[in-house]
Amino acid sequence: SQQGEEDPQALSIQEGENATMNCSYKTSINNLQWYRQNSGRGLVHLILIRSNEREKHSGRLRVTLDTSKKSSSLLITASRAADTASYFCATDAPTSYDKVIFGPGTSLSVIP
Amino acid sequence: AAGVIQSPRHLIKEKRETATLKCYPIPRHDTVYWYQQGPGQDPQFLISFYEKMQSDKGSIPDRFSAQQFSDYHSELNMSSLELGDSALYFCASSLRAGVRTGELFFGEGSRLTVL
């Protein structure tokens, strides 16, 4: 299996705090992406980081990638109640560009 | 902007029946993906198509088949339905841009309930 785990499985924080979610994977990757999903809705792309990149920012999001540890983290700063959702990382392998595999996800609750 | 369109949004079937889900990708996107998501589960990759040809296959049961047509829409056919097939089925599309995977744009999903 390409994917490992996400950590934590569930996270509850107060509005304004930062939220950090981690993702591990097992095999070499081409890209790693983060998605968010509101309950029962389609997934929405947040950020893509390529295997030769170490860090990427987008607004309040910061993603890091450590290919030596086969792990990535997503940091959401100054969280808002609207950030409440499930967050998934997804990877594709160097030889299977279209086999984008999702990890177990972290359920984030931001309390107003 | 046009998004990925899936139909039907909800579908109720009996065991052993057949269901067909349809997906209309974003215009000019060259890759289509199908995922199955059970309650509280992560999306499971089923199958993908690049330029109308099957490009990768995941944990798709033999009872399921999919294809992409000349107009780029895709259909997922599920036969001999089982209770365990009840799930949200997502279609996504992307512009692969050669050998580099792009971001996936997801539809709102088709919720299949098997009774």
Side-chain angles (χ1 to χ4, degrees), chain B residues 41-73:
Chain B
Q41 304 293 312
D42 52 292
Q44 292 291 313
F45 174 79
L46 294 178
I47 196 166
S48 61
F49 294 88
Y50 173 67
E51 286 292 346
K52 295 169 280 184
M53 299 289 290
Q54 181 182 310
S55 54
D56 269 300
K57 204 169 181 179
S59 50
I60 183 168
D62 292 340
R63 300 177 289 107
F64 292 11
S65 65
Q67 55 184 322
Q68 188 175 23
F69 295 86
S70 58
D71 64 351
Y72 285 86
H73 95 272

PDB file of all heavy atoms in Angstrom, chain B residues 41-73:
ATOM      1  N   GLN B  41     -14.582   6.762   6.121  1.00  0.00           N
ATOM      2  CA  GLN B  41     -13.377   6.191   5.502  1.00  0.00           C
ATOM      3  C   GLN B  41     -12.702   7.207   4.585  1.00  0.00           C
ATOM      4  O   GLN B  41     -13.281   8.233   4.233  1.00  0.00           O
ATOM      5  CB  GLN B  41     -13.748   4.959   4.681  1.00  0.00           C
ATOM      6  CG  GLN B  41     -14.481   3.883   5.459  1.00  0.00           C
ATOM      7  CD  GLN B  41     -13.614   3.253   6.504  1.00  0.00           C
ATOM      8  OE1 GLN B  41     -12.481   2.872   6.221  1.00  0.00           O
ATOM      9  NE2 GLN B  41     -14.112   3.157   7.725  1.00  0.00           N
ATOM     10  N   ASP B  42     -11.466   6.906   4.214  1.00  0.00           N
ATOM     11  CA  ASP B  42     -10.800   7.742   3.228  1.00  0.00           C
ATOM     12  C   ASP B  42     -11.237   7.301   1.825  1.00  0.00           C
ATOM     13  O   ASP B  42     -11.695   6.171   1.648  1.00  0.00           O
ATOM     14  CB  ASP B  42      -9.278   7.622   3.371  1.00  0.00           C
ATOM     15  CG  ASP B  42      -8.820   6.178   3.359  1.00  0.00           C
ATOM     16  OD1 ASP B  42      -9.131   5.442   4.321  1.00  0.00           O
ATOM     17  OD2 ASP B  42      -8.155   5.789   2.382  1.00  0.00           O
ATOM     18  N   PRO B  43     -11.123   8.165   0.859  1.00  0.00           N
ATOM     19  CA  PRO B  43     -11.490   7.787  -0.518  1.00  0.00           C
ATOM     20  C   PRO B  43     -10.557   6.688  -1.029  1.00  0.00           C
ATOM     21  O   PRO B  43      -9.339   6.803  -0.946  1.00  0.00           O
ATOM     22  CB  PRO B  43     -11.284   9.079  -1.302  1.00  0.00           C
ATOM     23  CG  PRO B  43     -11.288  10.167  -0.282  1.00  0.00           C
ATOM     24  CD  PRO B  43     -10.707   9.565   0.957  1.00  0.00           C
ATOM     25  N   GLN B  44     -11.158   5.622  -1.550  1.00  0.00           N
ATOM     26  CA  GLN B  44     -10.394   4.508  -2.088  1.00  0.00           C
ATOM     27  C   GLN B  44     -10.327   4.641  -3.611  1.00  0.00           C
ATOM     28  O   GLN B  44     -11.366   4.730  -4.275  1.00  0.00           O
ATOM     29  CB  GLN B  44     -11.062   3.181  -1.713  1.00  0.00           C
ATOM     30  CG  GLN B  44     -11.009   2.868  -0.223  1.00  0.00           C
ATOM     31  CD  GLN B  44      -9.610   2.567   0.257  1.00  0.00           C
ATOM     32  OE1 GLN B  44      -8.877   1.801  -0.356  1.00  0.00           O
ATOM     33  NE2 GLN B  44      -9.229   3.202   1.365  1.00  0.00           N
ATOM     34  N   PHE B  45      -9.112   4.609  -4.141  1.00  0.00           N
ATOM     35  CA  PHE B  45      -8.929   4.731  -5.578  1.00  0.00           C
ATOM     36  C   PHE B  45      -9.459   3.493  -6.289  1.00  0.00           C
ATOM     37  O   PHE B  45      -9.115   2.359  -5.938  1.00  0.00           O
ATOM     38  CB  PHE B  45      -7.434   4.906  -5.880  1.00  0.00           C
ATOM     39  CG  PHE B  45      -7.082   4.898  -7.332  1.00  0.00           C
ATOM     40  CD1 PHE B  45      -7.271   6.018  -8.109  1.00  0.00           C
ATOM     41  CD2 PHE B  45      -6.567   3.754  -7.931  1.00  0.00           C
ATOM     42  CE1 PHE B  45      -6.940   6.013  -9.459  1.00  0.00           C
ATOM     43  CE2 PHE B  45      -6.234   3.738  -9.275  1.00  0.00           C
ATOM     44  CZ  PHE B  45      -6.423   4.875 -10.039  1.00  0.00           C
ATOM     45  N   LEU B  46     -10.310   3.701  -7.281  1.00  0.00           N
ATOM     46  CA  LEU B  46     -10.849   2.582  -8.046  1.00  0.00           C
ATOM     47  C   LEU B  46     -10.138   2.438  -9.392  1.00  0.00           C
ATOM     48  O   LEU B  46      -9.588   1.392  -9.714  1.00  0.00           O
ATOM     49  CB  LEU B  46     -12.349   2.777  -8.281  1.00  0.00           C
ATOM     50  CG  LEU B  46     -13.241   2.731  -7.050  1.00  0.00           C
ATOM     51  CD1 LEU B  46     -14.694   2.980  -7.436  1.00  0.00           C
ATOM     52  CD2 LEU B  46     -13.109   1.397  -6.323  1.00  0.00           C
ATOM     53  N   ILE B  47     -10.180   3.512 -10.187  1.00  0.00           N
ATOM     54  CA  ILE B  47      -9.662   3.420 -11.552  1.00  0.00           C
ATOM     55  C   ILE B  47      -9.452   4.814 -12.105  1.00  0.00           C
ATOM     56  O   ILE B  47     -10.075   5.770 -11.636  1.00  0.00           O
ATOM     57  CB  ILE B  47     -10.652   2.608 -12.424  1.00  0.00           C
ATOM     58  CG1 ILE B  47     -10.012   2.134 -13.729  1.00  0.00           C
ATOM     59  CG2 ILE B  47     -11.931   3.387 -12.665  1.00  0.00           C
ATOM     60  CD1 ILE B  47     -10.831   1.054 -14.442  1.00  0.00           C
ATOM     61  N   SER B  48      -8.565   4.930 -13.091  1.00  0.00           N
ATOM     62  CA  SER B  48      -8.341   6.220 -13.731  1.00  0.00           C
ATOM     63  C   SER B  48      -8.203   6.037 -15.233  1.00  0.00           C
ATOM     64  O   SER B  48      -7.863   4.953 -15.721  1.00  0.00           O
ATOM     65  CB  SER B  48      -7.082   6.896 -13.173  1.00  0.00           C
ATOM     66  OG  SER B  48      -5.933   6.102 -13.429  1.00  0.00           O
ATOM     67  N   PHE B  49      -8.473   7.125 -15.939  1.00  0.00           N
ATOM     68  CA  PHE B  49      -8.364   7.156 -17.396  1.00  0.00           C
ATOM     69  C   PHE B  49      -7.572   8.390 -17.801  1.00  0.00           C
ATOM     70  O   PHE B  49      -7.816   9.492 -17.295  1.00  0.00           O
ATOM     71  CB  PHE B  49      -9.757   7.214 -18.045  1.00  0.00           C
ATOM     72  CG  PHE B  49     -10.568   5.983 -17.815  1.00  0.00           C
ATOM     73  CD1 PHE B  49     -11.358   5.863 -16.688  1.00  0.00           C
ATOM     74  CD2 PHE B  49     -10.541   4.938 -18.721  1.00  0.00           C
ATOM     75  CE1 PHE B  49     -12.107   4.716 -16.458  1.00  0.00           C
ATOM     76  CE2 PHE B  49     -11.291   3.791 -18.512  1.00  0.00           C
ATOM     77  CZ  PHE B  49     -12.068   3.683 -17.368  1.00  0.00           C
ATOM     78  N   TYR B  50      -6.644   8.198 -18.714  1.00  0.00           N
ATOM     79  CA  TYR B  50      -5.912   9.300 -19.306  1.00  0.00           C
ATOM     80  C   TYR B  50      -6.201   9.307 -20.795  1.00  0.00           C
ATOM     81  O   TYR B  50      -5.957   8.303 -21.472  1.00  0.00           O
ATOM     82  CB  TYR B  50      -4.412   9.169 -19.045  1.00  0.00           C
ATOM     83  CG  TYR B  50      -3.575  10.189 -19.768  1.00  0.00           C
ATOM     84  CD1 TYR B  50      -3.661  11.538 -19.438  1.00  0.00           C
ATOM     85  CD2 TYR B  50      -2.727   9.818 -20.814  1.00  0.00           C
ATOM     86  CE1 TYR B  50      -2.916  12.483 -20.117  1.00  0.00           C
ATOM     87  CE2 TYR B  50      -1.980  10.761 -21.490  1.00  0.00           C
ATOM     88  CZ  TYR B  50      -2.078  12.100 -21.141  1.00  0.00           C
ATOM     89  OH  TYR B  50      -1.346  13.036 -21.813  1.00  0.00           O
ATOM     90  N   GLU B  51      -6.742  10.417 -21.268  1.00  0.00           N
ATOM     91  CA  GLU B  51      -7.103  10.525 -22.691  1.00  0.00           C
ATOM     92  C   GLU B  51      -7.906   9.305 -23.164  1.00  0.00           C
ATOM     93  O   GLU B  51      -7.611   8.692 -24.199  1.00  0.00           O
ATOM     94  CB  GLU B  51      -5.847  10.697 -23.560  1.00  0.00           C
ATOM     95  CG  GLU B  51      -5.231  12.072 -23.477  1.00  0.00           C
ATOM     96  CD  GLU B  51      -6.130  13.151 -24.106  1.00  0.00           C
ATOM     97  OE1 GLU B  51      -7.092  12.817 -24.827  1.00  0.00           O
ATOM     98  OE2 GLU B  51      -5.875  14.343 -23.848  1.00  0.00           O
ATOM     99  N   LYS B  52      -8.878   8.956 -22.379  1.00  0.00           N
ATOM    100  CA  LYS B  52      -9.877   7.917 -22.697  1.00  0.00           C
ATOM    101  C   LYS B  52      -9.342   6.489 -22.608  1.00  0.00           C
ATOM    102  O   LYS B  52     -10.078   5.543 -22.888  1.00  0.00           O
ATOM    103  CB  LYS B  52     -10.499   8.182 -24.078  1.00  0.00           C
ATOM    104  CG  LYS B  52     -11.305   9.467 -24.128  1.00  0.00           C
ATOM    105  CD  LYS B  52     -11.689   9.837 -25.536  1.00  0.00           C
ATOM    106  CE  LYS B  52     -10.538  10.508 -26.249  1.00  0.00           C
ATOM    107  NZ  LYS B  52     -10.895  10.987 -27.603  1.00  0.00           N
ATOM    108  N   MET B  53      -8.090   6.338 -22.195  1.00  0.00           N
ATOM    109  CA  MET B  53      -7.547   4.997 -22.013  1.00  0.00           C
ATOM    110  C   MET B  53      -7.360   4.743 -20.518  1.00  0.00           C
ATOM    111  O   MET B  53      -6.896   5.630 -19.793  1.00  0.00           O
ATOM    112  CB  MET B  53      -6.195   4.854 -22.722  1.00  0.00           C
ATOM    113  CG  MET B  53      -6.266   5.063 -24.226  1.00  0.00           C
ATOM    114  SD  MET B  53      -7.111   3.703 -25.046  1.00  0.00           S
ATOM    115  CE  MET B  53      -5.895   2.410 -24.846  1.00  0.00           C
ATOM    116  N   GLN B  54      -7.666   3.535 -20.075  1.00  0.00           N
ATOM    117  CA  GLN B  54      -7.449   3.205 -18.669  1.00  0.00           C
ATOM    118  C   GLN B  54      -5.961   3.364 -18.351  1.00  0.00           C
ATOM    119  O   GLN B  54      -5.111   2.822 -19.060  1.00  0.00           O
ATOM    120  CB  GLN B  54      -7.892   1.773 -18.382  1.00  0.00           C
ATOM    121  CG  GLN B  54      -7.717   1.364 -16.925  1.00  0.00           C
ATOM    122  CD  GLN B  54      -8.119  -0.072 -16.693  1.00  0.00           C
ATOM    123  OE1 GLN B  54      -9.197  -0.504 -17.089  1.00  0.00           O
ATOM    124  NE2 GLN B  54      -7.255  -0.835 -16.055  1.00  0.00           N
ATOM    125  N   SER B  55      -5.657   4.110 -17.294  1.00  0.00           N
ATOM    126  CA  SER B  55      -4.254   4.371 -16.998  1.00  0.00           C
ATOM    127  C   SER B  55      -3.781   3.695 -15.718  1.00  0.00           C
ATOM    128  O   SER B  55      -2.618   3.302 -15.625  1.00  0.00           O
ATOM    129  CB  SER B  55      -3.990   5.880 -16.904  1.00  0.00           C
ATOM    130  OG  SER B  55      -4.864   6.488 -15.976  1.00  0.00           O
ATOM    131  N   ASP B  56      -4.645   3.584 -14.733  1.00  0.00           N
ATOM    132  CA  ASP B  56      -4.284   2.905 -13.498  1.00  0.00           C
ATOM    133  C   ASP B  56      -5.520   2.252 -12.890  1.00  0.00           C
ATOM    134  O   ASP B  56      -6.647   2.693 -13.140  1.00  0.00           O
ATOM    135  CB  ASP B  56      -3.664   3.878 -12.479  1.00  0.00           C
ATOM    136  CG  ASP B  56      -2.158   3.948 -12.595  1.00  0.00           C
ATOM    137  OD1 ASP B  56      -1.512   2.899 -12.428  1.00  0.00           O
ATOM    138  OD2 ASP B  56      -1.633   5.048 -12.853  1.00  0.00           O
ATOM    139  N   LYS B  57      -5.283   1.224 -12.125  1.00  0.00           N
ATOM    140  CA  LYS B  57      -6.374   0.493 -11.513  1.00  0.00           C
ATOM    141  C   LYS B  57      -6.046   0.278 -10.053  1.00  0.00           C
ATOM    142  O   LYS B  57      -4.904  -0.026  -9.699  1.00  0.00           O
ATOM    143  CB  LYS B  57      -6.533  -0.849 -12.231  1.00  0.00           C
ATOM    144  CG  LYS B  57      -7.892  -1.478 -12.131  1.00  0.00           C
ATOM    145  CD  LYS B  57      -7.976  -2.664 -13.106  1.00  0.00           C
ATOM    146  CE  LYS B  57      -9.327  -3.310 -13.061  1.00  0.00           C
ATOM    147  NZ  LYS B  57      -9.452  -4.440 -14.001  1.00  0.00           N
ATOM    148  N   GLY B  58      -7.067   0.449  -9.225  1.00  0.00           N
ATOM    149  CA  GLY B  58      -6.865   0.229  -7.802  1.00  0.00           C
ATOM    150  C   GLY B  58      -7.701  -0.935  -7.324  1.00  0.00           C
ATOM    151  O   GLY B  58      -7.798  -1.958  -7.981  1.00  0.00           O
ATOM    152  N   SER B  59      -8.333  -0.744  -6.175  1.00  0.00           N
ATOM    153  CA  SER B  59      -9.098  -1.828  -5.566  1.00  0.00           C
ATOM    154  C   SER B  59     -10.517  -1.875  -6.107  1.00  0.00           C
ATOM    155  O   SER B  59     -11.485  -1.773  -5.365  1.00  0.00           O
ATOM    156  CB  SER B  59      -9.106  -1.655  -4.051  1.00  0.00           C
ATOM    157  OG  SER B  59      -9.474  -0.322  -3.715  1.00  0.00           O
ATOM    158  N   ILE B  60     -10.624  -2.029  -7.393  1.00  0.00           N
ATOM    159  CA  ILE B  60     -11.956  -2.061  -8.015  1.00  0.00           C
ATOM    160  C   ILE B  60     -12.405  -3.508  -8.153  1.00  0.00           C
ATOM    161  O   ILE B  60     -11.693  -4.341  -8.713  1.00  0.00           O
ATOM    162  CB  ILE B  60     -11.940  -1.341  -9.392  1.00  0.00           C
ATOM    163  CG1 ILE B  60     -13.337  -1.314 -10.013  1.00  0.00           C
ATOM    164  CG2 ILE B  60     -10.912  -1.937 -10.334  1.00  0.00           C
ATOM    165  CD1 ILE B  60     -13.463  -0.396 -11.216  1.00  0.00           C
ATOM    166  N   PRO B  61     -13.582  -3.833  -7.598  1.00  0.00           N
ATOM    167  CA  PRO B  61     -14.072  -5.221  -7.681  1.00  0.00           C
ATOM    168  C   PRO B  61     -14.296  -5.625  -9.143  1.00  0.00           C
ATOM    169  O   PRO B  61     -14.557  -4.781 -10.001  1.00  0.00           O
ATOM    170  CB  PRO B  61     -15.407  -5.175  -6.922  1.00  0.00           C
ATOM    171  CG  PRO B  61     -15.378  -3.922  -6.112  1.00  0.00           C
ATOM    172  CD  PRO B  61     -14.519  -2.960  -6.858  1.00  0.00           C
ATOM    173  N   ASP B  62     -14.207  -6.917  -9.400  1.00  0.00           N
ATOM    174  CA  ASP B  62     -14.442  -7.416 -10.758  1.00  0.00           C
ATOM    175  C   ASP B  62     -15.865  -7.133 -11.217  1.00  0.00           C
ATOM    176  O   ASP B  62     -16.144  -7.102 -12.418  1.00  0.00           O
ATOM    177  CB  ASP B  62     -14.175  -8.926 -10.820  1.00  0.00           C
ATOM    178  CG  ASP B  62     -12.703  -9.243 -10.631  1.00  0.00           C
ATOM    179  OD1 ASP B  62     -11.876  -8.327 -10.838  1.00  0.00           O
ATOM    180  OD2 ASP B  62     -12.381 -10.388 -10.279  1.00  0.00           O
ATOM    181  N   ARG B  63     -16.772  -6.932 -10.266  1.00  0.00           N
ATOM    182  CA  ARG B  63     -18.175  -6.644 -10.607  1.00  0.00           C
ATOM    183  C   ARG B  63     -18.351  -5.224 -11.146  1.00  0.00           C
ATOM    184  O   ARG B  63     -19.401  -4.869 -11.659  1.00  0.00           O
ATOM    185  CB  ARG B  63     -19.059  -6.800  -9.364  1.00  0.00           C
ATOM    186  CG  ARG B  63     -19.040  -8.179  -8.736  1.00  0.00           C
ATOM    187  CD  ARG B  63     -19.876  -8.225  -7.462  1.00  0.00           C
ATOM    188  NE  ARG B  63     -19.259  -7.496  -6.365  1.00  0.00           N
ATOM    189  CZ  ARG B  63     -19.688  -6.331  -5.909  1.00  0.00           C
ATOM    190  NH1 ARG B  63     -20.733  -5.745  -6.459  1.00  0.00           N
ATOM    191  NH2 ARG B  63     -19.081  -5.752  -4.883  1.00  0.00           N
ATOM    192  N   PHE B  64     -17.310  -4.418 -10.986  1.00  0.00           N
ATOM    193  CA  PHE B  64     -17.361  -3.031 -11.442  1.00  0.00           C
ATOM    194  C   PHE B  64     -16.568  -2.895 -12.742  1.00  0.00           C
ATOM    195  O   PHE B  64     -15.532  -3.538 -12.927  1.00  0.00           O
ATOM    196  CB  PHE B  64     -16.742  -2.087 -10.414  1.00  0.00           C
ATOM    197  CG  PHE B  64     -17.506  -1.946  -9.128  1.00  0.00           C
ATOM    198  CD1 PHE B  64     -18.546  -2.779  -8.790  1.00  0.00           C
ATOM    199  CD2 PHE B  64     -17.155  -0.939  -8.234  1.00  0.00           C
ATOM    200  CE1 PHE B  64     -19.240  -2.634  -7.591  1.00  0.00           C
ATOM    201  CE2 PHE B  64     -17.833  -0.776  -7.036  1.00  0.00           C
ATOM    202  CZ  PHE B  64     -18.870  -1.620  -6.715  1.00  0.00           C
ATOM    203  N   SER B  65     -17.054  -2.028 -13.592  1.00  0.00           N
ATOM    204  CA  SER B  65     -16.284  -1.696 -14.794  1.00  0.00           C
ATOM    205  C   SER B  65     -16.480  -0.212 -15.076  1.00  0.00           C
ATOM    206  O   SER B  65     -17.450   0.392 -14.625  1.00  0.00           O
ATOM    207  CB  SER B  65     -16.738  -2.534 -15.996  1.00  0.00           C
ATOM    208  OG  SER B  65     -18.081  -2.218 -16.338  1.00  0.00           O
ATOM    209  N   ALA B  66     -15.555   0.353 -15.800  1.00  0.00           N
ATOM    210  CA  ALA B  66     -15.653   1.771 -16.111  1.00  0.00           C
ATOM    211  C   ALA B  66     -15.086   2.013 -17.499  1.00  0.00           C
ATOM    212  O   ALA B  66     -14.285   1.223 -18.007  1.00  0.00           O
ATOM    213  CB  ALA B  66     -14.904   2.611 -15.083  1.00  0.00           C
ATOM    214  N   GLN B  67     -15.538   3.088 -18.084  1.00  0.00           N
ATOM    215  CA  GLN B  67     -14.973   3.488 -19.365  1.00  0.00           C
ATOM    216  C   GLN B  67     -15.100   4.986 -19.530  1.00  0.00           C
ATOM    217  O   GLN B  67     -15.891   5.642 -18.844  1.00  0.00           O
ATOM    218  CB  GLN B  67     -15.649   2.763 -20.527  1.00  0.00           C
ATOM    219  CG  GLN B  67     -17.149   2.899 -20.601  1.00  0.00           C
ATOM    220  CD  GLN B  67     -17.742   2.065 -21.751  1.00  0.00           C
ATOM    221  OE1 GLN B  67     -17.159   1.965 -22.821  1.00  0.00           O
ATOM    222  NE2 GLN B  67     -18.892   1.464 -21.524  1.00  0.00           N
ATOM    223  N   GLN B  68     -14.310   5.515 -20.439  1.00  0.00           N
ATOM    224  CA  GLN B  68     -14.385   6.918 -20.779  1.00  0.00           C
ATOM    225  C   GLN B  68     -14.699   7.005 -22.267  1.00  0.00           C
ATOM    226  O   GLN B  68     -14.084   6.328 -23.088  1.00  0.00           O
ATOM    227  CB  GLN B  68     -13.079   7.646 -20.469  1.00  0.00           C
ATOM    228  CG  GLN B  68     -13.191   9.149 -20.624  1.00  0.00           C
ATOM    229  CD  GLN B  68     -11.928   9.901 -20.213  1.00  0.00           C
ATOM    230  OE1 GLN B  68     -10.843   9.350 -20.205  1.00  0.00           O
ATOM    231  NE2 GLN B  68     -12.085  11.173 -19.898  1.00  0.00           N
ATOM    232  N   PHE B  69     -15.647   7.854 -22.589  1.00  0.00           N
ATOM    233  CA  PHE B  69     -16.165   7.926 -23.945  1.00  0.00           C
ATOM    234  C   PHE B  69     -15.477   9.024 -24.753  1.00  0.00           C
ATOM    235  O   PHE B  69     -14.674   9.800 -24.231  1.00  0.00           O
ATOM    236  CB  PHE B  69     -17.681   8.145 -23.891  1.00  0.00           C
ATOM    237  CG  PHE B  69     -18.423   6.990 -23.276  1.00  0.00           C
ATOM    238  CD1 PHE B  69     -18.596   6.897 -21.903  1.00  0.00           C
ATOM    239  CD2 PHE B  69     -18.934   5.974 -24.073  1.00  0.00           C
ATOM    240  CE1 PHE B  69     -19.268   5.819 -21.327  1.00  0.00           C
ATOM    241  CE2 PHE B  69     -19.612   4.901 -23.505  1.00  0.00           C
ATOM    242  CZ  PHE B  69     -19.775   4.825 -22.133  1.00  0.00           C
ATOM    243  N   SER B  70     -15.831   9.064 -26.039  1.00  0.00           N
ATOM    244  CA  SER B  70     -15.170  10.004 -26.958  1.00  0.00           C
ATOM    245  C   SER B  70     -15.387  11.457 -26.548  1.00  0.00           C
ATOM    246  O   SER B  70     -14.554  12.315 -26.830  1.00  0.00           O
ATOM    247  CB  SER B  70     -15.652   9.782 -28.394  1.00  0.00           C
ATOM    248  OG  SER B  70     -17.055   9.927 -28.478  1.00  0.00           O
ATOM    249  N   ASP B  71     -16.506  11.737 -25.857  1.00  0.00           N
ATOM    250  CA  ASP B  71     -16.744  13.115 -25.414  1.00  0.00           C
ATOM    251  C   ASP B  71     -16.136  13.374 -24.031  1.00  0.00           C
ATOM    252  O   ASP B  71     -16.404  14.402 -23.417  1.00  0.00           O
ATOM    253  CB  ASP B  71     -18.235  13.418 -25.390  1.00  0.00           C
ATOM    254  CG  ASP B  71     -19.001  12.572 -24.369  1.00  0.00           C
ATOM    255  OD1 ASP B  71     -18.396  11.638 -23.801  1.00  0.00           O
ATOM    256  OD2 ASP B  71     -20.197  12.840 -24.157  1.00  0.00           O
ATOM    257  N   TYR B  72     -15.329  12.427 -23.555  1.00  0.00           N
ATOM    258  CA  TYR B  72     -14.582  12.501 -22.291  1.00  0.00           C
ATOM    259  C   TYR B  72     -15.424  12.226 -21.050  1.00  0.00           C
ATOM    260  O   TYR B  72     -14.844  12.134 -19.964  1.00  0.00           O
ATOM    261  CB  TYR B  72     -13.833  13.837 -22.132  1.00  0.00           C
ATOM    262  CG  TYR B  72     -12.606  13.919 -23.004  1.00  0.00           C
ATOM    263  CD1 TYR B  72     -12.711  14.346 -24.326  1.00  0.00           C
ATOM    264  CD2 TYR B  72     -11.358  13.548 -22.517  1.00  0.00           C
ATOM    265  CE1 TYR B  72     -11.591  14.396 -25.142  1.00  0.00           C
ATOM    266  CE2 TYR B  72     -10.234  13.597 -23.328  1.00  0.00           C
ATOM    267  CZ  TYR B  72     -10.355  14.023 -24.633  1.00  0.00           C
ATOM    268  OH  TYR B  72      -9.239  14.070 -25.447  1.00  0.00           O
ATOM    269  N   HIS B  73     -16.734  12.047 -21.192  1.00  0.00           N
ATOM    270  CA  HIS B  73     -17.463  11.683 -19.990  1.00  0.00           C
ATOM    271  C   HIS B  73     -17.154  10.225 -19.644  1.00  0.00           C
ATOM    272  O   HIS B  73     -16.723   9.445 -20.515  1.00  0.00           O
ATOM    273  CB  HIS B  73     -18.967  11.947 -20.137  1.00  0.00           C
ATOM    274  CG  HIS B  73     -19.796  10.770 -20.584  1.00  0.00           C
ATOM    275  ND1 HIS B  73     -20.012  10.457 -21.914  1.00  0.00           N
ATOM    276  CD2 HIS B  73     -20.475   9.842 -19.849  1.00  0.00           C
ATOM    277  CE1 HIS B  73     -20.765   9.392 -21.980  1.00  0.00           C
ATOM    278  NE2 HIS B  73     -21.078   8.991 -20.763  1.00  0.00           N
TER     279      HIS B  73
END
